[in-house]
Amino acid sequence: MLVKKIPRCIAIFASLILISIAAVCFYSNSHNGNNSLYKITILLDWTPNTNHTGIYIAQKMGYFRNEGLDVTIQQPPQESSTALVAAGKVEFAVAFQDFLAPALTSDTPLPVKAVAAIVQHNTSGIVCKRSANIRTYTDLEFKNYSTFDNFIELALLKYCVELQGGRVENINLVRNQTNNIAAALGTNIDAAWGYFGIESIAATSFGIENDFLFFRDVDPVLDFYTPVLICSKSYINRNPEIIKKVLKALSNGYTFAAGHPKKAADILIECVPELDFTITRKSQKYISTQYIADATSWGKIDATRWNNFYDWLSESKIIKRQIPHDSSFTNEFLPEG
Protein backbone atom coordinates (compact mmCIF):
# COMPACT_ATOMS: atom_id res chain seq x y z
CA MET A 1 0.00 0.00 0.00
CA LEU A 2 1.45 3.33 -1.07
CA VAL A 3 1.49 6.16 1.43
CA LYS A 4 1.81 9.77 0.58
CA LYS A 5 5.46 10.18 1.29
CA ILE A 6 5.57 11.50 -2.28
CA PRO A 7 5.43 14.74 -4.28
CA ARG A 8 1.80 15.24 -3.30
CA CYS A 9 3.10 15.92 0.14
CA ILE A 10 5.42 18.46 1.47
CA ALA A 11 7.62 19.78 -1.27
CA ILE A 12 9.85 22.46 0.14
CA PHE A 13 9.30 21.41 3.73
CA ALA A 14 10.88 18.04 3.06
CA SER A 15 14.12 19.73 2.04
CA LEU A 16 14.15 21.83 5.19
CA ILE A 17 13.38 19.21 7.84
CA LEU A 18 15.59 16.35 8.95
CA ILE A 19 13.66 13.12 8.67
CA SER A 20 15.02 12.03 12.03
CA ILE A 21 13.31 14.86 13.96
CA ALA A 22 11.03 13.43 16.59
CA ALA A 23 8.66 16.33 15.95
CA VAL A 24 7.11 16.23 19.38
CA CYS A 25 6.31 19.56 21.01
CA PHE A 26 5.37 19.22 24.66
CA TYR A 27 3.12 21.37 26.76
CA SER A 28 5.22 23.73 28.90
CA ASN A 29 4.53 21.72 32.08
CA SER A 30 6.03 18.45 30.90
CA HIS A 31 3.92 15.40 31.62
CA ASN A 32 6.56 12.79 30.79
CA GLY A 33 6.39 9.98 33.27
CA ASN A 34 2.86 10.81 34.37
CA ASN A 35 1.26 7.38 34.44
CA SER A 36 -2.22 8.84 34.90
CA LEU A 37 -2.24 10.01 31.28
CA TYR A 38 -3.37 7.66 28.52
CA LYS A 39 -0.59 7.26 25.96
CA ILE A 40 -1.31 7.35 22.25
CA THR A 41 0.66 8.01 19.07
CA ILE A 42 -0.39 10.09 16.08
CA LEU A 43 1.59 9.21 12.97
CA LEU A 44 2.00 11.98 10.42
CA ASP A 45 1.92 11.33 6.69
CA TRP A 46 5.21 13.14 6.05
CA THR A 47 7.35 15.87 7.53
CA PRO A 48 5.46 18.47 9.64
CA ASN A 49 3.58 21.16 7.73
CA THR A 50 0.51 23.33 8.04
CA ASN A 51 -1.86 20.40 7.45
CA HIS A 52 -0.68 19.28 10.90
CA THR A 53 -0.82 22.59 12.76
CA GLY A 54 -3.85 21.71 14.88
CA ILE A 55 -2.10 18.59 16.16
CA TYR A 56 0.88 20.61 17.38
CA ILE A 57 -1.39 23.28 18.86
CA ALA A 58 -3.31 20.60 20.79
CA GLN A 59 0.05 19.44 22.16
CA LYS A 60 1.55 22.84 22.88
CA MET A 61 -1.53 24.41 24.44
CA GLY A 62 -2.33 21.43 26.63
CA TYR A 63 -5.55 20.37 24.91
CA PHE A 64 -4.42 16.73 24.88
CA ARG A 65 -3.34 16.91 28.49
CA ASN A 66 -6.68 18.43 29.48
CA GLU A 67 -8.31 15.29 28.09
CA GLY A 68 -5.98 13.03 30.06
CA LEU A 69 -3.86 12.14 27.05
CA ASP A 70 -0.11 11.76 26.63
CA VAL A 71 0.33 12.13 22.86
CA THR A 72 3.44 11.40 20.83
CA ILE A 73 3.59 12.88 17.33
CA GLN A 74 5.75 10.84 14.97
CA GLN A 75 6.85 11.05 11.38
CA PRO A 76 6.16 7.89 9.39
CA PRO A 77 8.65 5.08 8.86
CA GLN A 78 9.09 3.41 5.48
CA GLU A 79 6.13 1.13 6.14
CA SER A 80 2.63 2.15 5.18
CA SER A 81 1.04 4.32 7.86
CA THR A 82 -2.34 2.84 7.03
CA ALA A 83 -1.00 -0.69 7.47
CA LEU A 84 0.57 0.24 10.81
CA VAL A 85 -2.77 1.56 12.05
CA ALA A 86 -4.57 -1.53 10.79
CA ALA A 87 -2.07 -3.75 12.59
CA GLY A 88 -2.48 -1.85 15.86
CA LYS A 89 1.12 -0.59 15.88
CA VAL A 90 -0.09 3.00 16.28
CA GLU A 91 -3.47 4.37 17.30
CA PHE A 92 -3.95 7.20 14.78
CA ALA A 93 -2.45 8.32 11.48
CA VAL A 94 -2.88 11.09 8.95
CA ALA A 95 -4.04 9.61 5.64
CA PHE A 96 -5.93 10.53 2.46
CA GLN A 97 -9.30 9.47 1.13
CA ASP A 98 -7.99 8.79 -2.36
CA PHE A 99 -5.08 6.65 -1.20
CA LEU A 100 -7.25 4.80 1.32
CA ALA A 101 -9.27 3.40 -1.58
CA PRO A 102 -6.72 0.73 -2.63
CA ALA A 103 -6.28 -0.31 1.01
CA LEU A 104 -10.03 -0.75 1.37
CA THR A 105 -10.46 -2.73 -1.86
CA SER A 106 -7.41 -5.01 -1.90
CA ASP A 107 -7.75 -8.78 -1.71
CA THR A 108 -7.13 -8.38 2.03
CA PRO A 109 -8.80 -5.04 2.86
CA LEU A 110 -7.28 -3.11 5.74
CA PRO A 111 -9.75 -2.58 8.62
CA VAL A 112 -9.34 1.19 9.00
CA LYS A 113 -11.79 4.06 9.11
CA ALA A 114 -11.55 7.86 8.88
CA VAL A 115 -12.72 9.55 12.08
CA ALA A 116 -12.18 13.20 11.11
CA ALA A 117 -11.50 15.43 8.14
CA ILE A 118 -8.39 17.48 8.84
CA VAL A 119 -9.09 19.84 5.93
CA GLN A 120 -12.62 20.31 4.70
CA HIS A 121 -12.03 20.52 0.92
CA ASN A 122 -9.51 19.11 -1.52
CA THR A 123 -6.71 21.68 -1.81
CA SER A 124 -4.63 19.51 -4.13
CA GLY A 125 -4.15 19.82 -7.85
CA ILE A 126 -1.48 20.50 -10.43
CA VAL A 127 1.22 23.10 -9.78
CA CYS A 128 2.24 24.58 -13.14
CA LYS A 129 5.23 26.71 -13.99
CA ARG A 130 3.76 29.95 -15.31
CA SER A 131 6.25 30.22 -18.16
CA ALA A 132 4.85 26.92 -19.51
CA ASN A 133 1.51 28.66 -20.19
CA ILE A 134 -0.63 25.95 -18.59
CA ARG A 135 -4.03 27.43 -17.85
CA THR A 136 -6.21 24.33 -18.29
CA TYR A 137 -5.61 20.60 -18.08
CA THR A 138 -5.51 20.37 -21.88
CA ASP A 139 -2.54 22.74 -21.81
CA LEU A 140 -0.56 19.93 -20.15
CA GLU A 141 -0.30 18.30 -23.57
CA PHE A 142 3.32 18.22 -24.79
CA LYS A 143 4.55 19.50 -21.43
CA ASN A 144 6.83 17.75 -18.91
CA TYR A 145 4.77 16.41 -16.02
CA SER A 146 6.58 14.97 -13.00
CA THR A 147 4.74 11.86 -11.81
CA PHE A 148 5.29 9.50 -8.91
CA ASP A 149 3.62 6.91 -11.15
CA ASN A 150 0.72 5.98 -8.90
CA PHE A 151 -2.34 4.57 -10.63
CA ILE A 152 -4.79 6.87 -8.83
CA GLU A 153 -2.69 9.94 -9.62
CA LEU A 154 -2.56 9.00 -13.31
CA ALA A 155 -6.28 8.21 -13.39
CA LEU A 156 -7.11 11.65 -11.96
CA LEU A 157 -4.81 13.28 -14.50
CA LYS A 158 -6.36 11.34 -17.38
CA TYR A 159 -9.89 12.16 -16.28
CA CYS A 160 -9.24 15.90 -15.98
CA VAL A 161 -7.34 16.17 -19.26
CA GLU A 162 -9.87 14.19 -21.27
CA LEU A 163 -12.88 15.90 -19.68
CA GLN A 164 -11.50 19.18 -20.99
CA GLY A 165 -10.91 17.75 -24.47
CA GLY A 166 -7.25 16.78 -24.35
CA ARG A 167 -5.32 13.53 -24.70
CA VAL A 168 -3.31 12.32 -21.74
CA GLU A 169 -1.10 10.34 -24.14
CA ASN A 170 0.31 13.67 -25.34
CA ILE A 171 1.71 14.55 -21.92
CA ASN A 172 5.39 13.82 -21.39
CA LEU A 173 5.40 11.87 -18.14
CA VAL A 174 8.66 12.24 -16.26
CA ARG A 175 8.82 9.49 -13.66
CA ASN A 176 10.52 11.34 -10.87
CA GLN A 177 10.17 10.73 -7.12
CA THR A 178 11.10 14.33 -6.28
CA ASN A 179 9.96 15.63 -2.92
CA ASN A 180 10.79 19.21 -3.80
CA ILE A 181 8.38 20.47 -6.42
CA ALA A 182 9.67 24.03 -6.16
CA ALA A 183 13.13 22.83 -7.13
CA ALA A 184 11.72 20.61 -9.88
CA LEU A 185 9.86 23.52 -11.44
CA GLY A 186 13.22 25.28 -11.68
CA THR A 187 14.36 22.59 -14.12
CA ASN A 188 12.71 21.18 -17.25
CA ILE A 189 9.62 20.08 -15.26
CA ASP A 190 6.52 22.09 -16.14
CA ALA A 191 3.97 20.65 -13.73
CA ALA A 192 3.42 18.24 -10.84
CA TRP A 193 0.73 17.21 -8.35
CA GLY A 194 0.82 19.12 -5.07
CA TYR A 195 -1.10 21.18 -2.53
CA PHE A 196 -1.89 24.82 -3.19
CA GLY A 197 -1.18 25.76 0.42
CA ILE A 198 2.20 24.05 0.44
CA GLU A 199 3.91 23.47 -2.92
CA SER A 200 2.41 26.42 -4.79
CA ILE A 201 3.10 28.88 -1.98
CA ALA A 202 6.60 27.48 -1.47
CA ALA A 203 7.41 27.82 -5.18
CA THR A 204 6.17 31.41 -5.19
CA SER A 205 8.27 32.21 -2.14
CA PHE A 206 11.32 30.92 -4.00
CA GLY A 207 10.63 33.18 -6.95
CA ILE A 208 9.02 30.57 -9.21
CA GLU A 209 5.83 32.03 -10.62
CA ASN A 210 3.17 29.36 -10.96
CA ASP A 211 -0.46 28.65 -11.66
CA PHE A 212 -2.58 26.05 -9.91
CA LEU A 213 -5.24 23.75 -11.35
CA PHE A 214 -7.53 22.42 -8.60
CA PHE A 215 -8.99 18.96 -9.23
CA ARG A 216 -12.25 20.04 -7.60
CA ASP A 217 -12.75 22.79 -10.22
CA VAL A 218 -12.94 20.22 -13.01
CA ASP A 219 -15.66 18.11 -11.40
CA PRO A 220 -17.16 18.37 -7.88
CA VAL A 221 -16.75 14.59 -7.51
CA LEU A 222 -13.00 15.26 -7.15
CA ASP A 223 -13.54 17.34 -4.01
CA PHE A 224 -12.45 14.39 -1.89
CA TYR A 225 -11.07 14.59 1.63
CA THR A 226 -7.35 15.06 1.97
CA PRO A 227 -5.98 14.69 4.57
CA VAL A 228 -8.02 12.78 7.14
CA LEU A 229 -7.33 11.14 10.49
CA ILE A 230 -7.74 7.36 10.61
CA CYS A 231 -7.71 4.60 13.20
CA SER A 232 -8.43 0.88 13.08
CA LYS A 233 -11.92 -0.56 13.38
CA SER A 234 -10.81 -2.70 16.30
CA TYR A 235 -9.50 0.37 18.12
CA ILE A 236 -12.82 2.11 17.47
CA ASN A 237 -14.68 -0.81 18.99
CA ARG A 238 -12.45 -0.98 22.06
CA ASN A 239 -11.78 2.70 22.79
CA PRO A 240 -14.65 4.97 21.71
CA GLU A 241 -14.19 7.31 24.68
CA ILE A 242 -10.48 7.76 23.97
CA ILE A 243 -11.26 8.64 20.35
CA LYS A 244 -13.74 11.25 21.55
CA LYS A 245 -11.07 12.78 23.78
CA VAL A 246 -8.51 12.85 20.97
CA LEU A 247 -10.94 14.48 18.57
CA LYS A 248 -12.06 17.02 21.16
CA ALA A 249 -8.46 18.10 21.66
CA LEU A 250 -7.81 18.20 17.92
CA SER A 251 -11.02 20.13 17.31
CA ASN A 252 -9.82 22.74 19.81
CA GLY A 253 -6.43 22.83 18.13
CA TYR A 254 -7.70 23.21 14.59
CA THR A 255 -10.45 25.65 15.57
CA PHE A 256 -7.79 27.80 17.24
CA ALA A 257 -5.66 27.60 14.09
CA ALA A 258 -8.64 28.54 11.93
CA GLY A 259 -9.23 31.68 13.96
CA HIS A 260 -5.63 32.68 14.64
CA PRO A 261 -3.48 31.88 11.59
CA LYS A 262 -0.52 34.06 12.60
CA LYS A 263 -0.34 32.67 16.12
CA ALA A 264 -0.92 29.16 14.78
CA ALA A 265 2.05 29.52 12.42
CA ASP A 266 4.22 30.78 15.28
CA ILE A 267 3.29 27.74 17.40
CA LEU A 268 4.06 25.35 14.56
CA ILE A 269 7.44 26.99 14.00
CA GLU A 270 8.17 26.86 17.72
CA CYS A 271 7.43 23.14 17.70
CA VAL A 272 9.30 22.53 14.44
CA PRO A 273 11.95 25.28 14.22
CA GLU A 274 13.44 23.83 11.03
CA LEU A 275 10.44 25.09 9.07
CA ASP A 276 10.90 28.15 6.89
CA PHE A 277 9.33 31.11 8.71
CA THR A 278 8.06 33.02 5.67
CA ILE A 279 6.66 30.01 3.84
CA THR A 280 4.96 28.68 6.96
CA ARG A 281 3.30 32.02 7.68
CA LYS A 282 1.97 32.27 4.11
CA SER A 283 0.89 28.65 4.04
CA GLN A 284 -0.88 28.98 7.39
CA LYS A 285 -2.76 32.08 6.29
CA TYR A 286 -4.30 30.09 3.45
CA ILE A 287 -4.84 26.70 5.08
CA SER A 288 -6.46 28.22 8.19
CA THR A 289 -9.41 29.11 5.94
CA GLN A 290 -9.70 25.46 4.88
CA TYR A 291 -9.78 23.55 8.18
CA ILE A 292 -13.49 24.26 8.69
CA ALA A 293 -14.44 26.28 5.59
CA ASP A 294 -18.21 25.85 5.04
CA ALA A 295 -18.70 23.00 7.52
CA THR A 296 -20.50 23.58 10.79
CA SER A 297 -17.42 22.57 12.78
CA TRP A 298 -13.99 21.01 12.36
CA GLY A 299 -13.69 17.37 11.37
CA LYS A 300 -17.12 16.77 9.83
CA ILE A 301 -17.16 14.50 6.77
CA ASP A 302 -19.98 15.03 4.30
CA ALA A 303 -21.34 11.58 3.46
CA THR A 304 -22.45 12.55 -0.04
CA ARG A 305 -19.04 13.88 -1.06
CA TRP A 306 -17.22 10.94 0.52
CA ASN A 307 -19.45 8.31 -1.07
CA ASN A 308 -19.61 10.03 -4.47
CA PHE A 309 -15.84 10.00 -4.83
CA TYR A 310 -15.60 6.30 -4.04
CA ASP A 311 -18.51 5.58 -6.39
CA TRP A 312 -16.65 7.44 -9.13
CA LEU A 313 -13.47 5.43 -8.52
CA SER A 314 -15.48 2.22 -8.79
CA GLU A 315 -17.57 3.22 -11.81
CA SER A 316 -14.43 4.39 -13.60
CA LYS A 317 -12.77 1.01 -12.93
CA ILE A 318 -9.94 2.73 -11.08
CA ILE A 319 -10.47 0.44 -8.09
CA LYS A 320 -11.47 -3.20 -8.43
CA ARG A 321 -14.61 -3.19 -6.29
CA GLN A 322 -17.13 -0.76 -4.82
CA ILE A 323 -16.69 0.59 -1.32
CA PRO A 324 -20.03 0.38 0.54
CA HIS A 325 -21.52 3.73 1.42
CA ASP A 326 -20.66 5.13 4.85
CA SER A 327 -18.49 2.10 5.66
CA SER A 328 -15.10 3.81 5.71
CA PHE A 329 -15.73 6.95 7.77
CA THR A 330 -17.63 8.08 10.83
CA ASN A 331 -18.56 11.38 12.42
CA GLU A 332 -19.82 9.82 15.65
CA PHE A 333 -16.79 10.67 17.79
CA LEU A 334 -16.54 14.34 16.88
CA PRO A 335 -17.56 16.98 19.43
CA GLU A 336 -21.09 18.26 18.95
CA GLY A 337 -21.30 21.61 17.21
Side-chain angles (χ1 to χ4, degrees):
M1 168 61 187
L2 181 68
V3 295
K4 288 204 174 172
K5 297 189 290 184
I6 46 181
R8 177 157 182 216
C9 299
I10 318 330
I12 193 63
F13 290 90
S15 66
L16 296 172
I17 306 170
L18 296 174
I19 298 300
S20 60
I21 291 173
V24 180
C25 183
F26 291 99
Y27 183 53
S28 56
N29 294 321
S30 175
H31 54 268
N32 277 342
N34 188 338
N35 294 328
S36 66
L37 299 177
Y38 188 92
K39 297 180 182 295
I40 67 163
T41 296
I42 298 177
L43 195 61
L44 303 183
D45 54 293
W46 190 235
T47 48
N49 62 88
T50 53
N51 279 339
H52 310 134
T53 303
I55 303 173
Y56 284 96
I57 288 176
Q59 188 76 289
K60 177 66 177 177
M61 298 187 71
Y63 297 149
F64 286 133
R65 183 183 176 87
N66 292 344
E67 296 300 320
L69 302 170
D70 179 358
V71 175
T72 298
I73 305 168
Q74 290 184 355
Q75 293 181 55
Q78 291 301 312
E79 296 92 338
S80 162
S81 297
T82 303
L84 290 174
V85 169
K89 302 298 184 182
V90 294
E91 292 81 10
F92 297 88
V94 177
F96 308 84
Q97 186 186 358
D98 49 333
F99 275 28
L100 282 175
L104 298 171
T105 57
S106 68
D107 292 335
T108 55
L110 295 183
V112 298
K113 183 175 284 193
V115 294
I118 291 176
V119 174
Q120 190 56 219
H121 290 283
N122 183 6
T123 64
S124 74
I126 308 301
V127 190
C128 308
K129 185 161 54 183
R130 182 161 296 169
S131 60
N133 295 313
I134 301 169
R135 303 293 182 266
T136 68
Y137 279 89
T138 56
D139 294 333
L140 288 167
E141 289 187 306
F142 311 109
K143 300 298 195 307
N144 294 330
Y145 174 86
S146 177
T147 174
F148 50 95
D149 212 18
N150 171 264
F151 73 97
I152 287 186
E153 173 208 15
L154 296 176
L156 288 170
L157 182 67
K158 182 178 189 298
Y159 179 72
C160 291
V161 170
E162 294 183 352
L163 195 65
Q164 293 188 342
R167 291 176 56 85
V168 74
E169 294 83 1
N170 291 334
I171 299 175
N172 180 26
L173 299 179
V174 180
R175 288 169 171 82
N176 185 358
Q177 290 286 345
T178 180
N179 291 311
N180 191 334
I181 292 177
L185 293 178
T187 66
N188 67 326
I189 297 299
D190 299 308
W193 186 4
Y195 286 101
F196 178 81
I198 300 173
E199 281 86 358
S200 180
I201 287 174
T204 300
S205 296
F206 277 81
I208 301 172
E209 294 186 345
N210 63 90
D211 296 298
F212 197 86
L213 306 177
F214 286 96
F215 289 129
R216 69 190 190 209
D217 288 344
V218 175
D219 187 333
V221 78
L222 302 184
D223 191 15
F224 49 85
Y225 284 92
T226 175
V228 296
L229 190 73
I230 65 169
C231 61
S232 72
K233 291 182 179 180
S234 62
Y235 191 82
I236 288 173
N237 292 335
R238 296 193 316 269
N239 300 286
E241 294 306 314
I242 295 298
I243 297 172
K244 289 179 182 179
K245 291 176 182 295
V246 171
L247 296 188
K248 182 178 178 181
L250 289 176
S251 179
N252 288 337
Y254 278 101
T255 300
F256 180 92
H260 306 85
K262 182 177 179 295
K263 180 61 176 175
D266 291 344
I267 291 173
L268 180 60
I269 293 166
E270 181 181 352
C271 291
V272 191
E274 291 76 14
L275 291 173
D276 181 273
F277 179 84
T278 301
I279 294 172
T280 302
R281 278 276 187 92
K282 291 180 179 178
S283 176
Q284 193 64 61
K285 182 178 181 180
Y286 167 76
I287 204 67
S288 282
T289 67
Q290 302 299 309
Y291 294 139
I292 302 174
D294 53 355
T296 55
S297 58
W298 178 82
K300 292 290 180 67
I301 294 174
D302 179 84
T304 300
R305 275 204 290 134
W306 183 277
N307 294 328
N308 283 350
F309 177 65
Y310 279 165
D311 286 349
W312 175 79
L313 286 178
S314 175
E315 293 163 3
S316 302
K317 309 300 182 184
I318 299 169
I319 54 177
K320 64 175 76 174
R321 58 178 62 92
Q322 188 168 16
I323 298 172
H325 284 190
D326 304 338
S327 66
S328 51
F329 79 93
T330 179
N331 290 315
E332 66 178 301
F333 304 111
L334 293 166
E336 293 183 4

